[in-house]
Amino acid sequence: MHSETRSYRTGGEEVVLDLTDDAAEVAAGRGDGLLHVFVPHATAGIAIIETGSGSDDDLLSALADLLPADDRWRHRHGSRGHGRSHVMPAIVPPHATVPVLDGRLALGTWQSICLVDLNIDNAEREVRWSFLGG
């Protein structure tokens, strides 16, 4: 097993951050197995989606429709609507597992591994990568 943690700066706005290149680096040369990605934050998630064609913006729009940034949330510290960021991981989970074959991610043609972060109050995120196999 191999495990490592990397830090990412998500900035002060909602973001879908493509982590696929980093995932490929972690998996490179490791043979067959599983790459597990986990974000240890209560307000972020991991999604496997297409990026660069508008799907990442569509995901943010869908989450805004499902979880509006308004004053309905009981969890009220931070920026307006911050409580929705604490609900989001129930919809976009904080983890994903991807097969690795011969040291390469076995993703579909248009699939990318992405960090989804609605929390504009926390610009620094950590992602834990764990490769199981060999």
Side-chain angles (χ1 to χ4, degrees), residues 1 3 5-6 26 37-38 42-43 48 53 56 67-68 74 76 79 89 116 118 127 132:
M1 184 172 115
S3 186
T5 300
R6 295 185 181 192
V26 174
V37 55
F38 176 75
T43 58
I48 298 179
S53 64
D56 36 357
L67 305 168
R74 290 183 186 110
R76 292 187 184 248
S79 60
V116 181
L118 301 182
V127 175
L132 302 131

Side-chain angles (χ1 to χ4, degrees), residues 62-128:
L63 290 171
D65 289 344
L66 288 169
L67 305 168
D70 58 22
D71 293 328
R72 74 183 67 202
W73 308 101
R74 290 183 186 110
H75 187 108
R76 292 187 184 248
H77 74 82
S79 60
R80 185 172 189 254
H82 175 77
R84 77 191 196 113
S85 297
H86 288 273
V87 174
M88 191 210 52
I91 297 168
V92 180
H95 59 83
T97 303
V98 176
V100 175
L101 302 174
D102 196 25
R104 290 195 289 204
L105 301 172
L107 292 168
T109 302
W110 303 112
Q111 289 181 315
S112 296
I113 302 168
C114 298
L115 171 65
V116 181
D117 189 1
L118 301 182
N119 184 354
I120 62 173
D121 298 327
N122 185 354
E124 297 290 330
R125 296 298 185 171
E126 290 190 348
V127 175
R128 294 184 184 148

Side-chain angles (χ1 to χ4, degrees), residues 16-74:
V16 175
L17 181 65
D18 192 339
L19 304 175
T20 309
D21 289 344
D22 283 4
E25 283 180 21
V26 174
R30 298 200 186 277
D32 293 350
L34 298 171
L35 181 63
H36 185 75
V37 55
F38 176 75
V39 57
H41 299 283
T43 58
I46 300 293
I48 298 179
I49 63 167
E50 179 179 3
T51 60
S53 64
S55 297
D56 36 357
D57 290 332
D58 288 342
L59 175 57
L60 291 175
S61 292
L63 290 171
D65 289 344
L66 288 169
L67 305 168
D70 58 22
D71 293 328
R72 74 183 67 202
W73 308 101
R74 290 183 186 110

